[in-house]
Amino acid sequence: MDRKPIRHDFFRYILANVISSLGVSVYILIDTFFISRGMGSEGLTALNLSLPVFNFINGFGLMFGIGGGSKFSMLYCRTERKETDAIYTNAFAAMLAIAALFEILGIFFSKQVTHLLGADASIFDMSQSYIKTILLFSPAFLMNNLMACFMRNDSAPRLAMLGMLTGCFVNVILDYVFIFRFDMGMRGAALATCISPFISMGVMSIHFITGWNAFSLRFIVPSLSTIKEIGSLGLHSFFSEVSGGIVIMIFNFVIYRISGNTGIAAYGVIANIAIIFTAIYAGIASGIQPLMCRYHGRSDTSAIRYVLRLALRTAVIFSVFAYTAVFFGTSYIVGVFNSSGSSMLKSIAETGLREYFLFMPFMGANTILSVYFTSKEMPKQAQLISLMRGTILIIPLAFIAYMIKSMTGVWLTVPIAEMITNFTGMTILLIHLRKTWAESLTPLPTR
């Protein structure tokens, strides 16, 4: 095995995908910054209560995007074009059905969704305005994810990155214009974010206009079995993304009863900074996914293992440097979002940053393990990891913190859940590697 070209592809893919993932996460971070400046802690609280809606929309987008992209990459080198087109068409059809459901929620049930997410009377109008706008524009977010995921698997990670960054840049400008120049408040912040995916898709459409694409839509009847297979391969991404929304909902419930709206505002700062680091790990995972699927399609086990080692090392090294920066920069980070100068918000958020971000090395490894198992067509193992870190462990740990009325317990919930999941995932990985190694040494039967 020649490691040099593999290493070259690894860093080329993860760089483009990390930047692309950061572009998506910056949508929310930019909203957080401008909302904190324009509407203070109440705006921050309203935004944080609205974030789970993003998680659910992106969860479905990534499930069919990564699931479809994985299947496309596995088939690309060993089948005809009509088969890969069928994968994209079925993923597109599934996305349209999901988009219709979100549209119905936005048109008829936005108030009920806002109540469900826990908005009280003081922030209900702001939250509902933001949530309704995001739901109405959900098809754009879903299709943006689908295009980006397939393009990464179609050897166009840089164009996908350029599309995401262009959308992010437009979001920055529109946030300022809508919030401060037009005085549109939360609706303006939401509208700026919702316009961004249209810009991203416009840039990424170059891939189709120039004829570089190896996938396209066909007039075929969608296949339920194909959609189910795509969904199964991408289900770990859905669980990972949606679990973030579930964590926010549970934390909002617990924190409100311990520290009130100020505690939720502090958590809003922490959750939005966490989105940045989560995006980096997701970028590493998205970068290695096309490579692993390609090598799996070629039955090149050595190359897959080498990519896995490179990814784990990269995630750990990044985690060490990132946590050091967070630990020593807490005052500055909180100060950027604490425009009202609240001493209580400052105290809660600074302590929370140092404790909550202990999750980083474990989250990075868990995200990579999920992609590894998916690429090896082991969806159950990938789904187990996503479920453990997202719901199975988080929910009981959060309510233990609630019962003892401890904010430290709240902040340590995610690190503990990620650590236990990491131990489980590494154990499954070692058993799997040992089994495949033993099979490779077994002599072939002779006649």
Side-chain angles (χ1 to χ4, degrees):
M1 178 183 66
D2 187 355
R3 294 185 174 185
K4 188 174 180 180
I6 297 175
R7 192 164 53 245
H8 175 267
D9 284 345
F10 171 82
F11 286 110
R12 181 169 67 92
Y13 269 77
I14 68 163
L15 180 61
N17 280 280
V18 165
I19 295 173
S20 180
S21 294
L22 281 172
V24 175
S25 67
V26 166
Y27 289 165
I28 307 296
L29 191 64
I30 291 168
D31 278 355
T32 304
F33 175 76
F34 282 111
I35 287 170
S36 70
R37 293 293 171 184
M39 284 156 274
S41 61
E42 285 191 348
L44 273 179
T45 304
L47 176 64
N48 194 49
L49 288 170
S50 308
L51 287 180
V53 174
F54 264 111
N55 291 104
F56 277 89
I57 292 172
N58 285 331
F60 281 106
L62 291 173
M63 179 170 73
F64 290 107
I66 290 179
S70 297
K71 192 63 180 177
F72 163 82
S73 190
M74 293 172 190
L75 294 175
Y76 181 69
C77 297
R78 56 182 183 182
T79 191
E80 296 181 14
R81 169 71 184 267
K82 65 179 182 180
E83 298 296 329
T84 55
D85 284 352
I87 297 297
Y88 180 65
T89 303
N90 277 280
F92 186 87
M95 206 73 84
L96 285 180
I98 298 299
L101 292 176
F102 281 116
E103 283 293 306
I104 292 170
L105 284 176
I107 295 170
F108 299 108
F109 301 105
S110 62
K111 289 184 178 180
Q112 290 86 338
V113 171
T114 307
H115 278 300
L116 180 65
L117 293 174
D120 62 20
S122 65
I123 58 169
F124 182 86
D125 289 340
M126 285 193 292
S127 299
Q128 197 250 342
S129 174
Y130 193 92
I131 288 169
K132 183 172 185 176
T133 307
I134 295 298
L135 286 171
L136 291 176
F137 281 85
S138 58
F141 292 103
L142 291 166
M143 296 306 167
N144 194 34
N145 271 321
L146 184 70
M147 283 183 66
C149 289
F150 268 84
M151 285 174 59
R152 290 165 188 157
N153 283 275
D154 196 21
S155 302
R158 291 180 180 175
L159 185 58
M161 173 194 72
L162 181 62
M164 293 298 184
L165 289 181
T166 305
C168 177
F169 177 72
V170 171
N171 188 22
V172 173
I173 295 176
L174 293 181
D175 257 328
Y176 173 76
V177 172
F178 290 163
I179 293 175
F180 293 104
R181 294 297 181 185
F182 292 172
D183 196 26
M184 293 174 65
M186 292 292 288
R187 186 181 297 275
L191 189 60
T193 299
C194 291
I195 291 172
S196 299
F198 288 103
I199 305 300
S200 297
M201 287 188 287
V203 173
M204 289 190 289
S205 65
I206 295 171
H207 192 62
F208 299 89
I209 295 170
T210 57
W212 296 341
N213 56 304
F215 62 90
S216 59
L217 291 173
R218 286 182 180 248
F219 291 102
I220 61 173
V221 177
S223 166
L224 190 60
S225 61
T226 301
I227 291 173
K228 184 178 178 181
E229 185 179 8
I230 291 170
S232 177
L233 286 173
L235 196 58
H236 77 93
S237 299
F238 174 80
F239 286 144
S240 295
E241 188 69 25
V242 169
S243 67
I246 293 172
V247 168
I248 291 173
M249 291 171 66
I250 292 170
F251 275 31
N252 285 339
F253 174 86
V254 172
I255 292 171
Y256 181 76
R257 284 153 181 79
I258 297 175
S259 301
N261 278 338
T262 302
I264 293 180
Y267 176 53
V269 175
I270 294 168
N272 281 282
I273 299 299
I275 286 174
I276 296 295
F277 295 107
T278 302
I280 292 172
Y281 295 132
I284 295 173
S286 298
I288 65 173
Q289 176 261 323
L291 298 176
M292 285 188 167
C293 288
R294 184 188 307 164
Y295 296 136
H296 177 66
R298 298 173 184 171
S299 300
D300 192 343
T301 303
S302 297
I304 293 176
R305 291 180 181 177
Y306 181 58
V307 171
L308 176 64
R309 289 199 300 272
L310 282 175
L312 290 173
R313 288 173 188 169
T314 302
V316 170
I317 292 170
F318 166 76
S319 297
V320 172
F321 283 103
Y323 183 75
T324 302
V326 168
F327 187 88
F328 290 104
T330 50
S331 295
Y332 175 76
I333 294 170
V334 174
V336 169
F337 299 99
N338 187 17
S339 59
S340 61
S342 169
S343 59
M344 185 177 176
L345 188 150
K346 180 177 183 293
S347 175
I348 296 173
E350 287 187 5
T351 302
L353 276 170
R354 293 192 177 99
E355 295 173 347
Y356 187 87
F357 279 82
L358 290 168
F359 72 77
M360 286 198 290
F362 306 111
M363 175 179 279
N366 291 335
T367 306
I368 290 163
L369 287 175
S370 291
V371 170
Y372 172 80
F373 289 129
T374 299
S375 302
K376 294 285 287 183
E377 296 187 85
M378 299 167 64
K380 290 182 179 179
Q381 289 83 344
Q383 292 161 19
L384 175 63
I385 290 174
S386 298
L387 281 171
M388 284 186 66
R389 60 194 289 254
T391 54
I392 294 174
L393 295 173
I394 287 286
I395 294 175
L397 288 171
F399 280 99
I400 289 171
Y402 168 65
M403 286 187 290
I404 63 176
K405 304 294 182 184
S406 169
M407 287 301 293
T408 294
V410 173
W411 302 137
L412 292 179
T413 294
V414 172
I416 292 171
E418 294 285 357
M419 182 176 63
I420 295 172
T421 303
N422 186 246
F423 176 79
T424 304
M426 286 296 183
T427 302
I428 295 172
L429 176 66
L430 291 174
I431 293 171
H432 166 69
L433 292 177
R434 185 176 180 180
K435 181 181 178 181
T436 54
W437 178 257
E439 289 173 351
S440 68
L441 296 177
T442 302
L444 295 174
T446 57
R447 293 183 179 180

